[in-house]
Amino acid sequence: MPLQIILNLVIAIMWMFLGETYTFVSFLTGYIIGALLLFMLRRFIPDAFYLERVWKMIKLVFLFIKELLISNIDIVKWVYKPNKDYKPGIFALPTDLKSNWEITMLTSLISLTPGTLSVAVSENNDTIYIHAMDIDDNETAIEAIKTTFENAIMEVTR
């Protein structure tokens, strides 16, 4: 558990004890005061302010929801298209992600988005093989994944 989270919890608990009110509202007030103190003193603490990472996680969730809605609309259009000129295929996505957790997160987000499926990961974890239901250009698909999911995951984890 990062030092900032522990400090923030200690400040919140101390606030409760000093006020002699042991309620959730008192704890929440102390937590907010602790977060503000940590934010103001962030240049003296070696790590980045931890609530920034929480905000980046929330942005990743909203990015996934946006991509999920867009891909669902694309799949509905694709299914009801009168002339079915499908171009399914498998392409290799070179990834800059290093840890198993980052790669698992990326492959899960890709597989949960309709129209794409993570098929395999290379032995050295630098390439992910993805099946797409309709793909015109491999480079466009690679760039779309790298600029959305991969960048958002790197913001959260690094």
Side-chain angles (χ1 to χ4, degrees):
M1 188 178 283
L3 175 66
Q4 291 182 21
I5 295 173
I6 294 170
L7 285 173
N8 204 357
L9 290 174
V10 167
I11 292 169
I13 292 169
M14 285 176 56
W15 181 264
M16 275 184 7
F17 287 147
L18 290 173
E20 294 183 7
T21 54
Y22 308 109
T23 62
F24 177 73
V25 175
S26 177
F27 177 79
L28 186 62
T29 303
Y31 190 83
I32 292 170
I33 290 171
L36 289 173
L37 283 172
L38 287 172
F39 181 74
M40 291 185 332
L41 300 171
R42 69 185 180 273
R43 70 179 200 177
F44 300 111
I45 299 172
D47 294 334
F49 185 56
Y50 78 97
L51 287 178
E52 290 176 10
R53 184 170 284 182
V54 172
W55 176 246
K56 290 175 182 176
M57 286 182 207
I58 293 169
K59 284 176 37 180
L60 176 62
V61 169
F62 281 120
L63 173 68
F64 172 68
I65 291 170
K66 180 189 95 169
E67 292 295 324
L68 183 68
L69 291 173
I70 290 171
S71 64
N72 274 311
I73 292 168
D74 289 343
I75 293 296
V76 168
K77 289 178 186 176
W78 188 68
V79 167
Y80 288 112
K81 190 167 34 169
N83 55 348
K84 308 274 194 239
D85 54 343
Y86 305 132
K87 295 178 185 167
I90 295 177
F91 63 94
L93 171 72
T95 183
D96 297 326
L97 303 176
K98 300 298 176 206
S99 72
N100 288 336
W101 187 86
E102 292 173 332
I103 293 169
T104 302
M105 177 64 85
L106 179 61
T107 57
S108 297
L109 291 174
I110 289 169
S111 295
L112 287 171
T113 306
T116 55
L117 178 68
S118 301
V119 179
V121 178
S122 66
E123 288 290 326
N124 55 2
N125 291 342
D126 66 348
T127 305
I128 300 172
Y129 298 97
I130 300 169
H131 178 272
M133 289 177 62
D134 191 20
I135 184 166
D136 292 324
D137 183 27
N138 290 352
E139 295 303 317
T140 305
I142 290 170
E143 190 62 30
I145 292 172
K146 288 184 104 28
T147 57
T148 56
F149 289 140
E150 188 171 285
N151 286 344
I153 290 170
M154 283 193 288
E155 284 182 6
V156 169
T157 59
R158 297 180 186 173

